[in-house]
Every structure is written in structure tokens, then in C-alpha cells.
Amino acid sequence: MGHLPYGDAAPGSLVTVPTELAISTCRLRPEAAADLQRLIAAAAGDRAVEGRLYAFSCHRSLAYQQSTFCRTRQSDSGADRAISAAPPGHSEHATGYALDFTVRPADGCPDAEACMAAKPAFRWLAANAPRFGFEMSFPAGNKQGVKWEPWHWRWVGTSATAPGAARARFL
């Protein structure tokens, strides 16, 4: 269905992102969390963002992903549902390296929706996130055939030699 298989990060391999950086509880691998903090601080200091970036959805256990997948457009077949949500065991969120971004004020744009791409915060992310080791997981026309998700980003490190980057890139 387009999504790659992933195992679940061990709970002990994750840290909690400070609450002022996230809309809800956010747990990531330490190296990703450190770069996320730097990214959000840089965005907060840039007027071009026109709002404030937050982490919205970070690590999801396999059980949590099961509930996310099953409640997404329940009338659709599994293949249709997988366009919008990964089946359990196939979500980057389970790795502890992926997160969804949101921006406040939302100005009527719900979290995890394509309207995020119209926001100055998205343009800032697109231009600056690689400096902090993040890349958009599912750009338009991605090889996996997954729906374009301008809010969903994964940490891969600023270079292949950055601490933890080899593991993140392998996963």
C-alpha cells in the first residue's frame, strides 16, 4: 500500500520533547528531539513564519497506529485508507524519528491537512528544515505513492555522519 515496514522504537530510546514545543505529548529519539528544539527556536525568532511552529504528533506505538489507521475513513478499503494513514507496523512515527508539525494560530486550518502548505510556516520549513536535519517524508509525487503530507517530516540528520543519522537513514 505504499508504506514501508518499520519496527517500534523501544520506549527507553525516546525522550519527551519540552511541553512548550508540542501541542500534545511528543516523544522522539534524543538526536531528533535536540534538532527539533533548535528548529523550533529558530522558527520562533523569524518573523517570516507568521505564527509559531509546534510538534503535533511524534512517536506512535504500534497499538496507537492501529487505532489511527482503523478510525481513518472507516468506510474506505484498507488500500484507500493507507493513502491517508499508514497501517500499523508501516508508520514512520513508530521509529521515533518522524513527527507532524502544526502552526498556531491555525486560522481555520485543521492539524495534518494540506492547507498547512499555504502557511508562511510551511514555506519556512521547506527552506530551513534541512539545516536542522529534517526532510519532508511525503512530498507531492513521492515514489511510495503516499498522499502529499506537508506537515509530516522525518529526522535524518544534517549529514550522514551526524550522531544517530546513519541509523535514522537506514530505518
Side-chain angles (χ1 to χ4, degrees):
M1 293 185 261
H3 296 278
L4 302 174
Y6 299 100
D8 201 357
S13 69
L14 304 170
V15 298
T16 302
V17 170
T19 56
E20 64 272 12
L21 305 178
I23 296 296
S24 57
T25 301
C26 175
R27 294 182 48 80
L28 292 171
R29 303 239 184 195
E31 52 273 23
D35 281 343
L36 173 66
Q37 287 182 283
R38 287 190 281 279
L39 180 148
I40 290 179
D46 192 329
R47 289 185 193 188
V49 174
E50 294 184 20
R52 182 164 169 131
L53 277 172
Y54 291 94
F56 171 63
S57 181
C58 299
H59 174 262
R60 293 184 199 153
S61 68
L62 296 179
Y64 186 88
Q65 189 64 27
Q66 172 79 26
S67 69
T68 298
F69 182 72
C70 288
R71 80 170 170 260
T72 302
R73 295 172 44 185
Q74 291 181 352
S75 62
D76 291 345
S77 70
D80 290 338
R81 210 176 8 242
I83 292 170
S84 298
H90 293 79
S91 172
E92 285 185 335
H93 287 282
T95 68
Y97 291 116
L99 72 142
D100 296 340
F101 283 101
T102 191
V103 66
R104 297 292 187 265
D107 299 326
C109 179
D111 292 325
E113 289 296 330
C115 54
M116 166 112 180
K119 297 199 160 280
F122 171 76
R123 289 189 294 279
W124 187 92
L125 268 176
N128 294 283
R131 292 189 302 127
F132 301 93
F134 289 90
E135 65 183 19
M136 189 186 317
S137 294
F138 305 114
N142 64 80
K143 293 178 189 176
Q144 290 175 251
V146 176
K147 175 177 93 171
W148 174 55
E149 295 186 352
W151 60 86
H152 182 89
W153 296 70
R154 66 177 164 237
W155 183 85
V156 294
T158 54
S159 74
T161 59
R167 177 184 201 137
R169 290 168 187 232
F170 176 76
L171 290 175

